[in-house]
Amino acid sequence: MTARPDGNPTPTPDQPDMPLIEHLLELRNRLLKMVLAVIICFAAIYPFANELYLWLSEPIRSLLPVGQTMIATDVTSPFFAPLKLALVLAVFAAIPIILYQLWSFIAPGLYAHEKQLAFPLLFTSVVLFYLGAAFAYYVVFPLVFGFFTAIGPEGIVELPDITSYLNFVLKMFFAFGVAFEIPIATILLILTGATTPDDLAEKRPYIVVGCFIIGMLLTPPDIISQTLLAVPMWILFELGILFGRLARREVAEPEADEPSGE
């Protein structure tokens, strides 16, 4: 081990350095496995693409007047809309495998105490992304679509286009999935030393305003969906500060227990 300026030995990764070519070959193999996982998931999902689209469109179809339904304004929409949905769902379903391949690639270069935190962070990020998408579907969509269908002027018949609806809900899934990653981003900022929990706590008023601005930019122009995104972001930010303090203690303890080398 090499020595730090303070005299303590610098920890080394669990495995020795690999040549650049071996790194590139391993990266290629990992990427191929990721693509293969997406293809397999797509092959399993596509036969049910139409049924999945019906399930996805249920929040708005249930609010349409009796006898009204969704429409396709493009000749190819009945084919490409379910196809696009199946492909996106295949990527969503393969996210655990994708992250596992990324973890397997970077894990050998991590220190032992970094491994103890990195894998839980990866696992939690997947769970949070899925929770964000589920929150959008089960909580946000019924309220947002109920609001939109209720405020329309009389005499206007609502006939949602299947492609426009799919683009809208995928955008919402992505927005809420990413927003639910705030605790992970907060913990990483704290662990890398970019900021501290106390500094983040002092900037809380600005963070709250920023959450509502992001909610305004990522959601439709109504106060309901903006609030439904901003408030969870604020709560998740507070959780990120809390777990960031705990994670920083976990990192500091192994460093304090290292031998001085003298």
Side-chain angles (χ1 to χ4, degrees), residues 183 186-188 190-191 197 200 237-250:
T186 304
I187 293 173
L188 291 177
I190 293 173
L191 292 180
L200 291 175
F237 167 74
E238 299 294 342
L239 291 175
I241 294 179
L242 174 62
F243 288 107
R245 296 180 190 274
L246 299 176
R248 191 168 65 165
R249 292 175 187 172
E250 291 292 332

Side-chain angles (χ1 to χ4, degrees), residues 25 46 50 53 75 94 106 115 129 165 182 231 243 248 257 262:
L25 290 175
Y46 181 70
N50 290 333
Y53 192 94
V75 176
I106 65 174
K115 286 185 178 181
F129 188 88
Y165 175 81
I182 286 180
V231 172
F243 288 107
R248 191 168 65 165
D257 294 339
E262 298 179 357

Side-chain angles (χ1 to χ4, degrees), residues 22-32 34 102 105:
E22 292 187 21
H23 274 296
L24 294 177
L25 290 175
E26 184 182 1
L27 178 60
R28 182 200 63 181
N29 293 334
R30 299 292 179 187
L31 291 175
L32 288 176
M34 296 178 196
L102 290 174
F105 180 73

Side-chain angles (χ1 to χ4, degrees), residues 38-203:
V38 173
I39 293 175
I40 293 175
C41 291
F42 176 78
I45 292 174
Y46 181 70
F48 310 97
N50 290 333
E51 290 79 3
L52 289 171
Y53 192 94
L54 289 176
W55 168 79
L56 184 67
S57 61
E58 177 62 23
I60 194 169
R61 289 190 300 107
S62 62
L63 297 172
L64 295 176
V66 178
Q68 294 185 13
T69 184
M70 302 181 72
I71 62 171
T73 57
D74 193 294
V75 176
T76 60
S77 293
F79 171 75
F80 280 108
L83 178 68
K84 181 178 180 180
L85 174 61
L87 181 58
V88 173
L89 290 179
V91 176
F92 277 23
I95 282 179
I97 299 175
I98 293 173
L99 289 182
Y100 173 76
Q101 294 300 324
L102 290 174
W103 164 255
S104 300
F105 180 73
I106 65 174
L110 298 178
Y111 304 128
H113 65 277
E114 290 175 335
K115 286 185 178 181
Q116 293 177 356
L117 291 174
F119 186 78
L121 288 177
L122 283 174
F123 176 79
T124 305
S125 65
V126 176
V127 175
L128 288 175
F129 188 88
Y130 287 155
L131 286 177
F135 182 81
Y137 181 83
Y138 290 105
V139 178
V140 178
F141 287 176
L143 294 175
V144 171
F145 296 143
F147 173 78
F148 285 156
T149 55
I151 64 172
E154 295 184 5
I156 300 298
V157 179
E158 292 197 26
L159 297 173
D161 176 65
I162 60 174
T163 301
S164 298
Y165 175 81
L166 178 62
N167 293 334
F168 174 82
V169 298
L170 291 181
K171 176 184 175 182
M172 294 290 285
F173 280 152
F174 180 78
F176 278 85
V178 172
F180 271 56
E181 300 292 331
I182 286 180
I184 305 300
T186 304
I187 293 173
L188 291 177
L189 286 174
I190 293 173
L191 292 180
T192 56
T195 185
T196 65
D198 294 334
D199 289 338
L200 291 175
E202 292 177 359
K203 296 180 175 62

